[in-house]
Amino acid sequence: VEDTSGILRIRSNFALESKQMFSSDVDVTFELKDVGEGHAEVGLVRLISNTEAINAILTLSTFPNEDRQLLEIYSYSVASGRLGGSETISPYQDKWMSIRMSVAGEQVKVFVDGEFKRAVILPLNQYRLHLASYKAGAASTHETDVRLIEVVRN
């Protein structure tokens, strides 16, 4: 992980969560660029215990040896399992994109580059921001650049 002219560059398996907990309706915007084989995650998480979490996660994945890029938006809890869906999206590799998650009550609406993609229900009372980047394998190259993480209370 390095800071390059105000851009956080992640080149290895890495996960980060905010120290601050949020408990109100907010708009969270992540601006990132993803390059290589692997996936990047942004979202909201609430750790209930060491074995139970509730998450609203957006994952961008590029698969090794495949000409396919996938956007996956889901919520997850131990009680209900994984909810949401995925879709193949136009190539997003090596371009800046804006991902906005708008929280209103228990609903999280997800927008990518201003376009509404999906809403998920997420019973969060308090949550943290989540950012992660993972390589597809030991030999693969993957990096995620982040230039903005912005939280606006509604």
Side-chain angles (χ1 to χ4, degrees):
V1 178
E2 64 183 271
D3 180 5
T4 307
S5 301
I7 295 172
L8 177 68
R9 177 162 289 152
I10 305 166
R11 289 191 170 139
S12 60
N13 294 340
F14 179 80
L16 176 71
E17 289 182 6
S18 65
K19 278 182 141 180
Q20 182 175 356
M21 298 278 287
F22 296 90
S23 60
S24 60
D25 294 349
V26 296
D27 273 4
V28 180
T29 301
F30 299 88
E31 287 184 2
L32 58 93
K33 179 170 63 170
D34 198 54
V35 179
E37 297 174 344
H39 68 270
E41 295 178 345
V42 295
L44 310 171
V45 297
R46 177 178 178 211
L47 185 64
I48 297 170
S49 69
N50 287 339
T51 58
E52 185 176 4
I54 298 174
N55 303 316
I57 300 289
L58 178 141
T59 303
L60 301 166
S61 300
T62 303
F63 300 93
N65 306 316
E66 294 183 34
D67 189 20
R68 176 168 71 123
Q69 296 173 351
L70 187 70
L71 168 70
E72 189 171 24
I73 301 167
Y74 64 90
S75 61
Y76 176 83
S77 74
V78 172
S80 60
R82 191 173 175 138
L83 305 170
S86 60
E87 61 187 87
T88 300
I89 62 170
S90 60
Y92 63 85
Q93 285 277 304
D94 203 21
K95 76 172 196 134
W96 287 102
M97 61 190 315
S98 174
I99 298 166
R100 180 176 150 238
M101 302 180 100
S102 181
V103 180
E106 292 186 348
Q107 185 178 58
V108 180
K109 292 182 180 177
V110 180
F111 301 83
V112 176
D113 289 333
E115 180 183 342
F116 174 74
K117 290 294 185 180
R118 186 169 283 119
V120 293
I121 300 300
L122 195 64
L124 294 176
N125 295 332
Q126 293 185 326
Y127 47 90
R128 297 179 193 275
L129 304 183
H130 170 80
L131 167 68
S133 179
Y134 303 103
K135 297 184 346 179
S140 66
T141 58
H142 180 255
E143 68 183 36
T144 303
D145 290 348
V146 181
R147 70 177 175 194
L148 175 73
I149 300 174
E150 179 180 60
V151 179
V152 178
R153 294 185 193 272
N154 295 332

